[in-house]
Amino acid sequence: MMHIRHEMVDFVCNLCSHLCCCRAVSEPETQNPASGGEMDGGGGGGEGITHRTVAVNGINMHVAEKGEGPVVLLVHGFPELWYTWRHQIHGLAARGFRAVAPDLRGFGDTDAPPGVSSYSIFHLVGDLVALIDSLGQDQVFVVGHDWGAMVAWSLCMFRPEKVRAVVNLSVAFTPRKPARKSVEYLRSLYGDDYYVCRFQEPGAAEAEFARLGTALVLEKFYTYHSPDPLFIPKEGWGSPDTEIPLPSWLSKDDIKYYASKFEKTGFTGGLNYYRCLDLNWELTAPWTGAHIKVPAKFIVGDVDLTYHTPGIQDYIHKVGFKSYVPLLEEVVVMKGVGHFINEEKPHEITVHIYNFIKKF
């Protein structure tokens, strides 16, 4: 028993080191060699964006960036890449900011460590701390979407001195529930076929995604425009022959670019974020009741499934959200907009980000 206890202490100490002592080494900045600065296989959104690899926190991280001025760190979610921010990168650069969008660990051209526990919230925040240091910055603006918002909130909670202000999309900060683990709570609400619950078994979601094909899986996620919970039935998530019409804001070339990266790395890295939910619940016990003490703005679509989880609208619009994020300055609900808000309404989101961060 004492041996197990020592191993656990070593594990937690090692995780904590990711938050405090992250070294970062940058490789020379280059344009995409396949396209002279434009993205290979992308939807035409990469002109003038430079790409480089940065050694951070024990992994090699791919970073896309453009512009000069105060740094805006753009943090993507699942199943996304740096490319989800292509419109905001251009828009923010044109407005006098240096937009920096990494592929998070497990995604795209960033390393994907094999172990599930390598995707804990300490690792994810540690990666961003090291990236910020590599940029030569004491503080940056941070914008997150989906999982990127969750990581951004955690960065604000663990290392608030690194964040000048935060704009988060889709996922509001919610306090840790000490009485119940995260996955258990979600299973009690939605059952075993809820997508987060289905992602828990290593290999199961990967096998289903392989059966359907990478491009179709991405189309299914990106075209999900409903306030209802997302379910992936055990008997299968539809036929691999399904044809899905794309919305006007998402092109076949966009899907082609995303698919090219997920076919190379697979989905396991991104799925491991969900598999660490209960580990994160355990690790963040010391932050139970903690507040976010960074200037903040929150934006969500009223058709986003995250805006329809039980109790969330009362929490956001009444006293709850503001009580845990006391420097929350604005909540924006965009009518008729779904989950992938920064792609569905790219110009509007860029303007919302700019109008907030220009004040600081």
Side-chain angles (χ1 to χ4, degrees):
M1 180 66 70
M2 185 63 68
H3 176 68
I4 294 174
R5 186 174 300 138
H6 284 316
E7 284 187 348
M8 188 61 182
V9 169
D10 290 343
F11 175 68
V12 173
C13 289
N14 183 51
L15 286 177
C16 289
S17 72
H18 291 284
L19 297 178
C20 304
C21 305
C22 305
R23 298 182 59 205
V25 180
S26 299
E27 291 188 1
E29 188 171 298
T30 61
Q31 292 186 329
N32 191 306
S35 54
E38 298 183 16
M39 294 172 302
D40 50 336
E47 298 84 352
I49 296 175
T50 57
H51 299 260
R52 62 193 175 105
T53 300
V54 184
V56 298
N57 200 19
I59 62 170
N60 294 310
M61 173 174 277
H62 167 248
V63 176
E65 59 186 310
K66 184 179 182 180
E68 296 181 0
V71 171
V72 183
L73 184 60
L74 302 164
V75 191
H76 70 78
F78 177 89
E80 299 176 318
L81 304 167
W82 74 269
Y83 185 78
T84 192
W85 299 110
R86 59 199 179 279
H87 306 294
Q88 287 75 37
I89 291 173
H90 293 300
L92 292 169
R95 289 167 171 81
F97 291 87
R98 180 184 177 189
V100 178
D103 284 335
L104 296 182
R105 70 165 56 205
F107 290 88
D109 293 321
T110 292
D111 288 349
V116 172
S117 63
S118 294
Y119 296 83
S120 79
I121 197 64
F122 284 180
H123 289 83
L124 304 179
V125 171
D127 294 346
L128 296 189
V129 170
L131 177 58
I132 293 167
D133 290 345
S134 80
L135 298 170
Q137 305 294 311
D138 293 325
Q139 277 192 328
V140 298
F141 296 109
V142 181
V143 181
H145 173 250
D146 185 76
W147 259 103
M150 295 173 67
V151 177
W153 289 125
S154 295
L155 173 63
C156 294
M157 185 165 63
F158 299 151
R159 299 295 302 272
E161 78 282 3
K162 292 289 185 182
V163 184
R164 201 165 171 183
V166 64
V167 180
N168 273 332
L169 316 178
S170 295
V171 179
F173 175 78
T174 53
R176 179 181 181 273
K177 296 177 175 64
R180 205 167 199 183
K181 291 186 176 182
S182 304
V183 177
E184 177 188 349
Y185 173 70
L186 292 170
R187 186 172 280 115
S188 73
L189 287 178
Y190 302 118
D192 291 337
D193 284 349
Y194 184 58
Y195 76 103
V196 174
C197 302
R198 288 280 284 124
F199 288 172
Q200 294 306 306
E201 182 184 348
E206 289 92 332
E208 177 61 8
F209 293 171
R211 182 185 71 84
L212 292 170
T214 302
L216 179 57
V217 168
L218 293 167
E219 289 172 357
K220 280 177 169 286
F221 279 118
Y222 275 96
T223 60
Y224 192 82
H225 198 273
S226 170
D228 297 328
L230 174 61
F231 296 101
I232 300 180
K234 286 187 177 62
E235 57 269 23
W237 200 21
S239 167
D241 299 322
T242 302
E243 292 189 9
I244 298 178
L246 299 181
S248 60
W249 50 267
L250 185 69
S251 72
K252 281 290 185 183
D253 280 343
D254 294 331
I255 291 294
K256 180 180 177 182
Y257 181 77
Y258 281 119
S260 72
K261 298 303 181 182
F262 280 99
E263 284 172 353
K264 184 185 76 166
T265 62
F267 288 96
T268 298
L271 294 170
N272 282 342
Y273 285 52
Y274 296 92
R275 292 165 185 159
C276 273
L277 281 171
D278 283 348
L279 175 60
N280 292 338
W281 180 85
E282 295 176 13
L283 295 173
T284 55
W287 288 273
T288 300
H291 292 181
I292 302 298
K293 298 179 181 179
V294 169
K297 179 174 182 174
F298 178 67
I299 311 170
V300 67
D302 71 348
V303 190
D304 192 329
L305 73 169
T306 66
Y307 190 58
H308 294 270
T309 56
I312 194 67
Q313 293 183 30
D314 281 347
Y315 169 80
I316 289 173
H317 298 294
K318 295 181 180 178
V319 69
F321 195 12
K322 179 72 172 177
S323 69
Y324 281 100
V325 188
L327 300 181
L328 178 68
E329 296 192 13
E330 189 176 1
V331 171
V332 177
V333 180
M334 300 182 72
K335 298 293 184 183
V337 180
H339 182 66
F340 295 97
I341 189 169
N342 47 320
E343 297 206 58
E344 186 175 348
K345 295 293 180 182
H347 174 72
E348 293 89 335
I349 291 299
T350 299
V351 171
H352 273 301
I353 295 168
Y354 172 71
N355 284 342
F356 184 62
I357 65 176
K358 73 178 181 180
K359 299 187 292 185
F360 299 93

